Amino acid sequence: MAQEIKNVIVVGASGNLGPHVVSALLGSKKFGVAVLTRTNSNKAFQQGVTVVKTDYSPAHLEAALKGYDAVVSTIAGAAVGEQKKIIDAAAKAGVKRFLPSEFGSNTTNKYANDLVPVFSRKVQIVEYLKATASANPNFSWTALVTGPFFDRSLKNGVLGFDIKNKKAVIYDQGSRLFTTTILNTVGTGVVSVLTNLEATKNKYVFIGSLTTSQNAILAALEKAVGGSWTTEKTTGYGEVVADREKLAKGESTIIRPMITAATYTEGTGSNFAVDEKLWNSELQLPLGDLDALVKWIGCCHSSPRARNAPSTGGNIPSAISTISTTVTGPPPTHRSSRHSLRPSHHHHHPHPHAPPRTRINTPLLPAPSIVGPTPQPWTPSRLSLERTSFFDTRVSGQATVWGALRLAAEALRSGDVRLAQGIVDAAGLTVPSGRLEEGSYDERGGFYALEGWVVGEPMNLVRGGEEEMELEDGDADGDGDVGSGKGEGGDVEDAGGGEGEEEEGLVRRVKGKNALVGEGDSVKVKIRLSDRGGPDLKVSVGREQSVRILIRSIIEAGELSTKKNIKLAYMGRILKENESLTRQGWKEGHVVNAMVFGG
């Protein structure tokens, strides 16, 4: 059948799954890709994505979806019911295929629906899609069922494994098989559905990376992480019953562990290879290797040992490289109180032995809007202090790299993915998953990972009064502006310029040479530019002149485009542009690193 889907729009693209779906659609080079956001949203997305804004009123939605052949919804479970108005608008706009936010458990199984009341929300949406398709012959749907997201769920403890503390909660005997999918394969599955329209029309489609058991995962973890594990036994059905009682009392945080318990309960249809038809072969989605996946996820992301000892390095295991470009996973979004992995406070130590040339470098993804909870609820001001403390207490790795990561995290939090990417590139970092909180590598193979709350907002953030709000809206880390040097809202392209008139009186040319002098004696500064191998640049500046003035001189002396962005770092700290070098501890003769990006 001739290709019918040319333009695809994704709803919920900034969540946990959405970025992977967008990346897969872009990577296929088969579609025009857009994302739907609210009118007042300022979120940034990958290069090549069209951002379509709407106020979500029926007329506005219909207009926004005009010209798109397919809608992929990856919205959060709590908002699943909101899809009805999107479906109505899609049908009126002439959309051919709608993929609802079904991704997860087998909601076609009646016993599973009886056990987990919230599954009814997804069932109702598919029934609504069926009715819409019946009334509109050109409209169709596909519900993609994936089971739990293996990479994210294993790291977050959702599957019952606490990798950091080597503890496991085993349901029943641990031998029940269930199907699970890594996030990137979910994205690839979406692409496959949209290129196999007739076969997947008006159907539930079940895919998976693995069909495995808790016992098999535990054995793989013991090999990958090492050491002895402590296990606790429970029953799937018993946990579901207890969780239902808590849910009835209004404890909504129990939904995730309830779904996990149901996955391990007999008769809930979680083994797609037996209970349903597994579509991997038809959609050309290869299965993965459990040991290779667990080794990568367990050693390189969740385990403190992985950050303190030599490891295989975070490369994609060859046994699973055919599944997707990279094995990745967004940061945590929800962790149950019963089987959660709390954010760690250990220092992150680089991996010295991983060969950097073999790693895939993925473009940065937008920062998650919400990440997993902090150990205790924090106010915005406390969060600001903790973020500052995080970077100030790094004791291993290159100080200049930590400084670049601090700046990149600030850029991501402000929604400027382009600036963050430029900073990361200038620092020579490789980010296999596209997420700084998942880890990055310097040019020596050193490994660096950020806590989720350094990049995103923790789900248990406690908002106070106006004072707290002002702190959050301001420059949280106290390191000056992230970008233009013009304050918030400044043009990134003007970085290195854009300074105020108050400094113009301090500047004068000396005999046509590339030197700027002003307050105090002139000193020569040795500048090491990130965009070239050498030699170092020597630039003159007044002792009391600001770093901003020095940056202007660097642009001239280095014959750089005025569109280039420059950030200076010294002793691992990003220098404030409104203060002089000497006031920030610089000693004559010491090298100042200049990160050059953009333009």
Side-chain angles (χ1 to χ4, degrees):
M1 186 175 72
Q3 168 106 10
E4 292 187 22
I5 303 298
K6 294 181 180 179
N7 296 309
V8 183
I9 189 165
V10 180
V11 186
S14 62
N16 294 304
L17 174 60
H20 296 270
V21 171
V22 172
S23 292
L25 291 168
L26 287 171
S28 73
K29 298 183 179 179
K30 296 178 180 179
F31 316 103
V33 183
V35 298
L36 189 69
T37 67
R38 293 193 179 276
T39 305
N40 59 356
S41 173
N42 60 358
K43 291 188 177 297
F45 296 91
Q46 295 100 311
Q47 188 175 3
V49 173
T50 299
V51 178
V52 179
K53 297 195 174 187
T54 178
D55 61 10
Y56 279 87
S57 64
H60 213 204
L61 267 175
E62 182 182 344
L65 299 180
K66 283 278 187 184
Y68 291 96
D69 304 303
V71 173
V72 181
S73 173
T74 62
I75 65 176
V80 163
E82 295 297 309
Q83 292 176 109
K84 288 184 178 179
K85 61 184 179 184
I86 302 173
I87 293 168
D88 289 341
K92 291 179 181 178
V95 169
K96 299 181 179 74
R97 182 61 56 93
F98 194 102
L99 275 67
S101 188
E102 181 68 28
F103 316 97
S105 300
N106 183 2
T107 59
T108 69
N109 183 279
K110 186 178 184 306
Y111 184 48
N113 288 332
D114 290 342
L115 286 178
V116 185
V118 295
F119 285 171
S120 63
R121 301 171 185 170
K122 292 185 175 182
V123 174
Q124 290 169 9
I125 290 299
V126 172
E127 291 302 314
Y128 197 81
L129 282 166
K130 289 178 180 178
T132 304
S134 178
N136 299 271
N138 294 324
F139 180 88
S140 59
W141 58 273
T142 302
L144 194 61
V145 189
T146 63
F149 302 145
F150 185 68
D151 37 357
R152 183 167 76 94
S153 297
L154 183 59
K155 288 184 292 183
N156 294 356
V158 169
L159 295 179
F161 298 95
D162 180 341
I163 299 176
K164 175 187 173 184
N165 297 306
K166 298 179 184 176
K167 295 180 180 179
V169 177
I170 302 298
Y171 292 77
D172 300 318
Q173 302 305 311
S175 58
R176 187 159 294 117
L177 296 175
F178 69 101
T179 302
T180 176
T181 311
I182 63 173
L183 282 155
N184 278 5
T185 299
V186 178
T188 307
V190 169
V191 172
S192 296
V193 165
L194 296 178
T195 52
N196 290 272
L197 290 177
E198 196 60 34
T200 60
K201 182 179 180 180
N202 298 334
K203 292 177 182 177
Y204 281 91
V205 171
F206 295 81
I207 65 171
S209 300
L210 299 164
T211 295
T212 187
S213 68
Q214 277 195 296
N215 288 342
I217 295 172
L218 180 58
L221 279 169
E222 287 175 334
K223 286 192 290 184
V225 180
S228 59
W229 282 66
T230 302
T231 60
E232 173 190 336
K233 295 294 181 69
T234 188
T235 64
Y237 179 76
E239 293 287 354
V240 170
V241 171
D243 291 341
R244 284 172 60 94
E245 292 177 357
K246 294 177 182 177
L247 184 63
K249 296 177 181 178
E251 295 184 34
S252 59
T253 57
I254 209 65
I255 291 175
R256 179 63 261 180
M258 181 195 300
I259 294 173
T260 297
T263 298
Y264 295 138
T265 299
E266 184 177 1
T268 55
S270 53
N271 181 354
F272 301 165
V274 172
D275 301 324
E276 306 292 344
K277 171 189 173 182
L278 198 61
W279 284 69
N280 283 51
S281 178
E282 193 166 346
L283 297 180
Q284 298 184 329
L285 300 173
L287 296 171
D289 177 82
L290 175 62
D291 284 337
L293 273 170
V294 167
K295 186 175 182 179
W296 190 81
I297 296 168
C299 284
C300 303
H301 289 276
S302 300
S303 170
R305 166 189 168 131
R307 289 171 179 169
N308 295 330
S311 79
T312 55
N315 301 314
I316 303 168
S318 59
I320 60 170
S321 61
T322 53
I323 291 180
S324 57
T325 305
T326 57
V327 181
T328 69
T333 55
H334 177 77
R335 298 164 180 166
S336 74
S337 58
R338 186 174 66 228
H339 307 313
S340 66
L341 292 177
R342 293 195 180 277
S344 62
H345 287 275
H346 58 269
H347 296 304
H348 301 273
H349 297 281
H351 291 294
H353 304 299
R357 292 183 181 178
T358 62
R359 295 193 192 93
I360 292 173
N361 194 15
T362 302
L364 289 181
L365 297 170
S369 54
I370 299 293
V371 299
T374 49
Q376 296 87 31
W378 291 342
T379 62
S381 57
R382 171 68 185 276
L383 177 61
S384 171
L385 292 172
E386 292 289 342
R387 283 170 171 164
T388 300
S389 176
F390 176 86
F391 288 104
D392 289 346
T393 57
R394 298 307 91 190
V395 295
S396 61
Q398 298 184 69
T400 53
V401 172
W402 284 118
L405 287 170
R406 182 200 295 256
L407 196 62
E410 291 175 6
L412 286 175
R413 292 200 305 270
S414 71
D416 197 334
V417 180
R418 180 183 176 187
L419 175 60
Q421 185 69 63
I423 294 168
V424 165
D425 291 343
L429 290 168
T430 297
V431 189
S433 70
R435 291 201 180 274
L436 295 181
E437 62 272 29
E438 296 286 340
S440 58
Y441 295 85
D442 65 21
E443 293 171 330
R444 303 175 184 175
F447 180 74
Y448 304 76
L450 308 183
E451 298 286 4
W453 45 264
V454 172
V455 181
E457 181 178 294
M459 63 188 301
N460 59 342
L461 187 68
V462 178
R463 296 190 181 279
E466 293 182 3
E467 180 182 356
E468 294 288 6
M469 294 301 295
E470 289 174 359
L471 281 168
E472 184 180 54
D473 291 339
D475 181 18
D477 288 338
D479 277 337
D481 304 327
V482 183
S484 70
K486 297 168 73 173
E488 274 190 41
D491 186 353
V492 170
E493 296 295 334
D494 288 338
E499 59 285 331
E501 295 180 0
E502 66 276 7
E503 295 201 83
E504 291 298 326
L506 302 178
V507 182
R508 62 184 175 86
R509 301 289 174 200
V510 180
K511 298 181 181 179
K513 294 183 179 180
N514 294 314
L516 293 176
V517 297
E519 292 186 354
D521 299 329
S522 173
V523 293
K524 284 192 177 294
V525 184
K526 188 181 293 185
I527 304 295
R528 187 160 296 163
L529 296 165
S530 66
D531 67 341
R532 59 195 71 177
D536 292 339
L537 203 63
K538 292 183 179 179
V539 179
S540 293
V541 67
R543 286 185 184 279
E544 297 304 318
Q545 285 188 321
S546 71
V547 166
R548 185 176 295 130
I549 297 297
L550 176 58
I551 288 173
R552 294 172 58 195
S553 186
I554 292 170
I555 290 173
E556 275 197 23
E559 298 182 350
L560 299 171
S561 166
T562 55
K563 292 185 177 181
K564 289 288 187 182
N565 294 294
I566 296 179
K567 285 292 178 180
L568 300 186
Y570 175 68
M571 300 295 288
R573 299 279 300 186
I574 301 299
L575 296 174
K576 299 177 182 179
E577 294 186 8
N578 61 343
E579 292 186 14
S580 68
L581 283 177
T582 53
R583 289 181 182 272
Q584 298 182 68
W586 174 77
K587 304 296 183 185
E588 283 193 54
H590 286 193
V591 173
V592 173
N593 290 280
M595 293 182 293
V596 183
F597 48 92

